[in-house]
Amino acid sequence: MIGAVAAVVGALGVLSAGVTLLATRSVPMAVEVLLDMLVAAGLVRLAGGTSWSGLAAVVVLVAVRRMLRAGLLADDRWRASARRRPAGPTDRAPSR
């Protein structure tokens, strides 16, 4: 029973990520939604019975989620700083 609930949560995560992608056109946001729902599915699966392999799977999923989140945030900050940076002498076309 718990395995079926976890599978439903995972499927709803894929559906939610798809809806997020269509609504926002933001791949990073859709990936975040998907990873959050997969973590939830892993935690639901752990509620059914604790095993070392199940615990390890959730730990790996949380670690991947955190690394992707940090990478996406760093990429967003880099893009934002590139947009705010004024054109310097090397960025301008040579005038003749």
Side-chain angles (χ1 to χ4, degrees), residues 10-96:
L12 288 174
V14 171
L15 180 66
S16 298
V19 169
T20 302
L21 181 61
L22 290 174
T24 64
R25 304 269 189 236
S26 172
V27 173
M29 188 177 294
V31 169
E32 285 186 41
V33 168
L34 176 63
L35 290 174
D36 284 344
M37 292 296 284
L38 291 178
V39 168
L43 293 175
V44 167
R45 189 174 300 273
L46 276 180
T50 305
S51 67
W52 287 108
S53 61
L55 184 60
V58 171
V59 167
V60 167
L61 187 57
V62 169
V64 167
R65 180 192 173 280
R66 291 186 58 108
M67 286 189 299
L68 281 174
R69 173 83 171 136
L72 292 173
L73 283 176
D75 187 46
D76 284 346
R77 289 183 189 139
W78 179 81
R79 286 183 184 175
S81 68
R83 282 191 299 261
R84 283 181 284 170
R85 184 179 54 201
T90 59
D91 293 341
R92 294 183 187 157
S95 59
R96 294 185 183 191

